[in-house]
Amino acid sequence: MADGGEQEELLSPSPVSPAKRLCSWPSPQAHHPRGSPGAAGGGAGGVGSSCLVLGARPHLQPESLLDCAAKTVAEKWAYERVEERFERIPEPVQRRIVYWSFPRNEREICMYSSFQYRGGPGASAAGGAAGASPAEEGPPPPPGAAAPAGSAPGGVAAGASPGLGAGAGAAGCGGEGLPFRRGIRLLDSGSVENVLQVGFHLSGTVTELATASEPAVTYKVAISFDRCKITSVTCGCGNKDIFYCAHVVALSLYRIRKPDQVKLRLPISETLFQMNRDQLQKFIQYLITAHHTEVLPTAQKLADEILSSNSEINQVNGAPDPTAGASIDDENCWHLDEEQVKEQVKLFLSQGGYCGSGKQLSSMFAKVREMLRMRDSNGARMLTLITEQFMADPRLTLWRQQGTNMTDKCRQLWDELGALWVCIILNPHCKLEEKSCWLQQLQKWSDLDVCPLEDGNYGHELPNITNALPQNAIHSPDSLSRPRRTVFTRAIEGRELHWQDSHLQRIISSDVYTAPACQRESERLLFNSQGQPLWLEHVPTACARVDALRSHGYPKEALRLTVAIINTLRLQQQRQLEIYKHQKKELLQRGTTTITNLEGWVGHPLDPIGCLFLTLTEACRLNDDGYLEMSDMNESRPPVYQHVPVAAGSPNSSESYLSLALEVALMGLGQQRVMPEGLYAQDKVCRNEEQLLSQLQELQLDDELVQTLQKQCILLLEGDTLRLRTILEAIQKHIHSSSLIFKLAQDAFKIATPTDSSTDSTLLNVALELGLQVMRMTLSTLNWRRREMVRWLVTCATEVGVRALVSILQSWYTLFTPTEATSIVAATAVSHTTILRLSLDYPQREELASCARTLALQCAMKDPQSCALSALTLCEKDHIAFEAAYQIAIDAAAGGMTHSQLFTIARYMELRGYPLRAFKLASLAMSHLNLAYNQDTHPAINDVLWACALSHSLGKNELAALIPLVVKSVHCATVLSDILRRCTVTAPGLAGIPGRRSSGKLMSTDKAPLRQLLDATINAYINTTHSRLTHISPRHYGEFIEFLSKARETFLLPQDGHLQFAQFIDNLKQIYKGKKKLMLLVRERFG
């Protein structure tokens, strides 16, 4: 609604990182000297007093005025501002300011020490629904914030619930290995010692207890803080991570839970100021003596500079004090290790789209949102660091150069990045200079060539974030064309949005804002007929406001704006229904739908429906203090919701935020919209729909929700006049993703074939047509779900009936590959299960079988290598078709068929009772085979043995025909000897071929055809022996002797075999006499 102007601050922003500042002493240049005599408020003895002990006071005693003032000053003012404002600060006042300057909220410590935290102001909108608005009463005190001074110094953390770490905090952080949980265990085990607070600096030691494998180790920990924020941490463990280590956590929780046990001193500069010259010299010399190996070079260097009148150190008034807190000009924010953030993001991105890295990056985005909810300035700072690493990802350049799309997982991460920047820009309490700085950086990133673009129609043909599209807008290329849009464009467009609109301010600031009794003409559009306020803004933009409010810790304001948006959507829904009723007859005659929304809410980059649904359900969610409950299996428990009535002012008192959540989800899912262009955009719509449906399944339907469901169903199904055929044509024309169409087809099939009622034939045919389109779309492209799609289509066609099966069999070449057509489609169509399912009579079975045989022969001709066997199987009941399929296989054998394919068909022919045909195919297969001397484990060996057994069983002539092929193709001695042995065991000709008789005599190896095989076997043994001896090693000597033993068995088959073997051994001894150990073994075995 608003176009520009000054950003209104709903809440004054937190300042943003302290640095060590100079502390001055009295000098002509110092107007307010830091160490003036009255500044300490006491003598030297006051500084050296023992630890701070507050007197035990009754629990109900009011907090002292000093503590009230000190707490506020400690949180809001830099200590330097206090020193400048007041010339003399009494020591008790200084002590209370220093005391209250340490963080008081354990949840903030948890947030900076784990990924799992889900807490903070606004994290659960349920509290916002019932409590006070931050806009009205200021930021609500977070759990663990300051309690009355009398209750703070006990074992309970300044107002935090007892056992926050062990109970709710533990649940919030989940996982025993997280730093926060480990820190709690260290604290509870008494591992924190020597805790000392000097000004704004806390130090101590934390001891890791000894384990079975590791000794006890003590680490020194130092923490600097300012205005209730930890500004720097140092730990001897050398932790390299984004978040604080367990030792820092343990020391911080010790200070929060046991402040009375912490020795407290004023800043060290105050102590030094109260020392005379002798005391200062003694102090310095003792300090150097205690740490001379560490500080002596530095001390001497500083002494030299101080003694030099022209040194730089003498040109500056005062000296730095690391315990004095930050100066006025220093930024004030929590310590965040920027280098570690960069390194972690860079590491996760370098791991590609792997599941683990994607989850880690999503967790970092969740951490940014958590910081925003806590109104922590590090949220935007961390997001900036993440974005810089994303923009530096080398894959962006690679994808751009290769013209390829980024992976879906990367695309989702970029979408989340863009949405977070929209939240940052719409921050209702950011300063104008901050917003300007962010916008400049976003524009810089957006102008880079590698910056990812918004996908589909959202990138080029939709209005920008600040302009709503009229409901009757004409899709004109001129009026809707937009320049290049990147993932940051919507955030950049947010510069035009502000929060100053008076109507918007009244909506988000009050639950009882209704239409005035006397409305001006300009106000009538701002309220519905019940007087409830409306917010007439581009819906995704309005929802982006809701997301910004919710994300920045304004849950109640987000709920109020959500209710106004839903009232607006209801009014739009009613008007669209009225328009449809008037145009109903004309639309039916034209066969068109009434799509009036050129952009969809579901799958939109700003996710408007998801945002509203989440805002409403958070208000109804039963959670313990907003923490993410974690089970022993480290899985989140399913959410539990309760009905929370809509705040006062709603005319329908029975309405709850939960029923509104269901209603808005159904509105989004039922919206008529144009499908976006681009596969990713369409997949995103589908994914968001599935996400919404899964969230709806988490709702337990009671009477109130059922009524809401019925009301929306009546509105969405009003008239039921649009023909299904028109919708089908629209799907086929506008949806270009095969996976989305397949999902639609599956859903239509599931609805059309309920288990408890009759089949909807119209919807079933729609499912079949969608399935046929999927087949055509994926026929020439790779799709890992292709086989599943083919099987589903055959199932769907079977449900439709025999005519559908005949149709897909006859037009198979436009739908399937030859392999799919024969092995899946035709085989399923003629199966016994299909015949029983359709109760086919004989003519119908014959028609299906005839179509299947025709398909099989066509496929075998097109792809004989893959389909010949399937064709023979499908044609085996028809002699003519079977002969044709067999001839196709024979003709293809001389071409590209492999020996394994031919052997498979040959075995099938033998199984069907055609041994001669099997022999012919086996002979062709042998001619394609080449078995080397060392391939004694080749998978074709079984086929060779089977072929020889087949030829042996057919008779001597077939064996004589096959042996030359075996000798030519097989050079492995052990295989040849195995064939030779099998041929000599039984007589040939035992297959029982009609017209043939077996001689019953065993075959001799001295005569043909086995003589040729014997000679080939002996030669193979000789060649193999020489080949093995060329590179033999001692560890293979035993194996080689066994090989010679097998060779001897073959050599001894002919009558003069022993002479041949003896000559063979003598030759080996002469040729390989250098292998003395091996030849010794040969002599021992063979003489």
Side-chain angles (χ1 to χ4, degrees), residues 23-24 33-41 44 47 79 83 89 94 265-275 321 323-324:
C23 297
S24 305
R34 175 178 176 81
S36 57
V47 178
Y79 193 58
E83 293 177 312
I89 307 173
Q94 293 186 57
R265 302 286 189 272
L266 294 179
I268 194 67
S269 54
E270 295 286 349
T271 306
L272 296 176
F273 182 77
Q274 298 179 40
M275 294 182 183
D321 181 0
T323 67

Side-chain angles (χ1 to χ4, degrees), residues 187-399:
L187 176 64
D188 293 342
S189 64
S191 298
V192 183
E193 297 176 319
N194 306 318
V195 182
L196 172 67
Q197 179 179 340
V198 180
F200 297 87
H201 185 273
L202 184 71
S203 62
T205 60
V206 181
T207 303
E208 289 274 10
L209 300 180
T211 63
S213 59
E214 298 287 341
V217 182
T218 299
Y219 299 107
K220 294 181 179 179
V221 183
I223 299 174
S224 296
F225 54 91
D226 177 61
R227 284 168 272 180
C228 299
K229 295 181 177 68
I230 292 176
T231 56
S232 70
V233 298
T234 306
C235 181
C237 71
N239 175 60
K240 296 294 184 182
D241 199 356
I242 297 175
F243 302 115
Y244 303 161
C245 66
H247 315 110
V248 171
V249 172
L251 180 61
S252 302
L253 295 183
Y254 186 97
R255 171 60 177 79
I256 292 174
R257 296 184 181 186
K258 304 176 182 180
D260 57 327
Q261 298 181 26
V262 177
K263 297 178 182 178
L264 188 144
R265 302 286 189 272
L266 294 179
I268 194 67
S269 54
E270 295 286 349
T271 306
L272 296 176
F273 182 77
Q274 298 179 40
M275 294 182 183
N276 58 34
R277 185 190 179 285
D278 292 339
Q279 289 173 321
L280 282 172
Q281 183 169 357
K282 181 178 291 188
F283 170 77
I284 293 172
Q285 289 184 216
Y286 268 96
L287 178 64
I288 294 175
T289 302
H291 303 283
H292 65 279
T293 58
E294 301 170 18
V295 304
L296 186 56
T298 304
Q300 185 60 55
K301 178 184 177 182
L302 291 174
D304 293 342
E305 291 185 7
I306 291 174
L307 293 175
S308 173
S309 58
N310 297 325
S311 65
E312 183 179 351
I313 198 171
N314 286 321
Q315 306 303 316
V316 180
N317 181 50
D321 181 0
T323 67
S327 65
I328 298 174
D329 299 328
D330 288 338
E331 293 181 330
N332 176 236
C333 64
W334 283 80
H335 169 72
L336 180 69
D337 193 330
E338 295 190 3
E339 289 303 317
Q340 281 302 312
V341 173
K342 294 178 182 178
E343 287 300 319
Q344 292 278 6
V345 177
K346 186 176 181 180
L347 174 63
F348 296 147
L349 288 173
S350 68
Q351 294 171 356
Y354 300 114
C355 180
S357 61
K359 287 182 179 178
Q360 291 286 355
L361 288 169
S362 297
S363 296
M364 294 186 78
F365 288 145
K367 180 61 65 177
V368 171
R369 285 191 178 274
E370 180 187 334
M371 290 176 174
L372 296 181
R373 276 197 302 272
M374 299 287 283
R375 297 159 190 166
D376 188 334
S377 59
N378 277 337
R381 183 175 162 212
M382 185 171 176
L383 185 62
T384 301
L385 299 173
I386 293 173
T387 308
E388 287 174 351
Q389 295 306 308
F390 266 66
M391 291 301 300
D393 188 350
R395 291 178 298 172
L396 293 178
T397 303
L398 185 64
W399 285 327

